[in-house]
Amino acid sequence: MSTATVGTPTTRTAADLAPLAITAVGAVTPAGLGLEALGRAVAAGLPGHAEPPVQEGETLPPRPARAVPDLKVAELIGRKGTRHLDRTTKLGLVACRLALDSLPSPVGSGTGVVLGTSTGSIRSSSEYSLETLRQERPYLVNPSLFPNTVMNCAAGQIAIRHGLKGVNATLAGGHLAGVQVLRYARNALRQGHADRLLVGGVEEFCAQSAWGWHQSGSLTADAAVGEGAAVLVVEPEEAARAAGRRVLARVLACETGYAARGSLTQGLASVIGLALERSGRTPAEVTSASLGSTGHVGLDRIEERALHSALGGRLPDQVIRVKESVGECFSAGGVLQIAGLLGLWQQEGAGTARTSVVTAVSRDGQVGCVVLDTDALAG
């Protein structure tokens, strides 16, 4: 434990230990719109594909790309006010619309938003910066470009369009964003800052980020750069069941930590063990895992070795790699890992109790794990 700062179990109150219920999911991925489309792609091991959005004069690196097909925003969320929205915000709005539409009744104004990102819209920030250099004078830059450069643009638009007055937060967590937004959501709900939360991650495809991934050398040659958004409706389990809302899965734990240089395997294994302990689950009870480092040079092997170590020298029978279907989606990857699991379970149908770990690791030493479960009568 000296090389991995992951914390030690502390005394938890009943509120700390109470699971959170996932009652709805909205997914917008290269596999298509909705959880069912993502579940089919993950179950079949098939890559989603659509021609990536490229502006005139842009070129893309020589590697696979995965983009969201048929993103007809006007049909999905309405035409009003969408003219100047960037692709990141549109993806987030559509994912939220899909999640909310799957609920049996409208959510109240006490609902909040917690969205994971890297830096917001990379395209918008890049294009705005270039405009300040290209125009004769900086103040001649088109002001309609600026709102999209703000990191919390998507979360703000989601709240405004749906009248959501609960806590509104954007977390720049990169690869750990999926774990971090669930931790934030757990704390916000426990402190009474919202009745329920839309918890998600979003990342758009653009030439700027595609070239960044390609030039970094961190992805294998055949790893695709993708895009997508996934949003979970999360609320206290007791409240969800009292209201008669279907519980798709329960979030038992979401833990993060930091591993020193050269100790990523041990650090991630420790965080997985800590998350299971705080969930009241043993390694033998884990039936599935959703891995987040698919396609990353070196990290994919580290993640698999850490899982193998944390589970007592074995891997669960069901190991899914969502990025094989959606590509590298950076900050959206963690929530897409969860959505991929839920979509796969939906394809398989009810009848089996499941406990799953969702893992994340980054080259800068951040490690994280979410523990989910669903019983044989899920919902």
Side-chain angles (χ1 to χ4, degrees), residues 146-348:
F146 180 73
N148 292 325
T149 68
V150 180
M151 190 177 70
N152 64 346
C153 176
Q157 284 291 328
I158 290 167
I160 291 168
R161 285 174 175 270
H162 297 103
L164 309 179
K165 299 180 181 179
V167 63
N168 189 282
T170 300
L171 278 65
H175 283 120
L176 270 290
V179 186
Q180 292 172 356
V181 292
L182 281 171
R183 280 176 61 87
Y184 189 101
R186 180 189 64 191
N187 294 335
L189 289 169
R190 190 173 67 231
Q191 296 297 327
H193 297 308
D195 299 327
R196 71 193 57 78
L197 289 165
L198 300 178
V199 179
V202 58
E203 200 77 49
E204 69 178 352
F205 181 96
C206 63
Q208 291 90 337
S209 58
W211 277 108
W213 281 115
H214 186 67
Q215 296 288 357
S216 73
S218 60
L219 298 181
T220 59
D222 59 346
V225 178
E227 67 173 355
V231 172
L232 316 172
V233 177
V234 176
E235 55 190 314
E237 183 182 15
E238 184 178 343
R241 295 196 183 278
R245 283 185 287 275
R246 183 186 180 199
V247 176
L248 303 177
R250 303 187 304 161
V251 180
L252 303 183
C254 35
E255 303 297 332
T256 60
Y258 178 80
R261 185 183 297 273
S263 302
L264 280 175
T265 301
Q266 181 185 347
L268 179 56
S270 297
V271 165
I272 295 171
L274 177 62
L276 287 173
E277 184 173 349
R278 288 180 168 170
S279 301
R281 296 290 186 271
T282 66
E285 293 178 276
V286 176
T287 59
S288 57
S290 183
L291 304 183
S293 296
T294 304
H296 282 258
V297 177
L299 284 185
D300 51 355
R301 294 190 297 274
I302 287 172
E303 187 176 37
E304 191 166 310
R305 286 200 301 267
L307 180 63
H308 187 271
S309 174
L311 299 187
R314 72 176 187 94
L315 292 177
D317 294 334
Q318 187 179 66
V319 177
I320 72 167
R321 296 171 173 83
V322 175
K323 290 182 180 179
E324 292 180 349
S325 296
V326 304
E328 175 52 54
C329 295
F330 202 18
S331 59
V335 187
L336 284 169
Q337 286 172 250
I338 295 173
L341 264 179
L342 298 180
L344 180 60
W345 292 347
Q346 187 181 78
Q347 292 289 310
E348 295 173 345

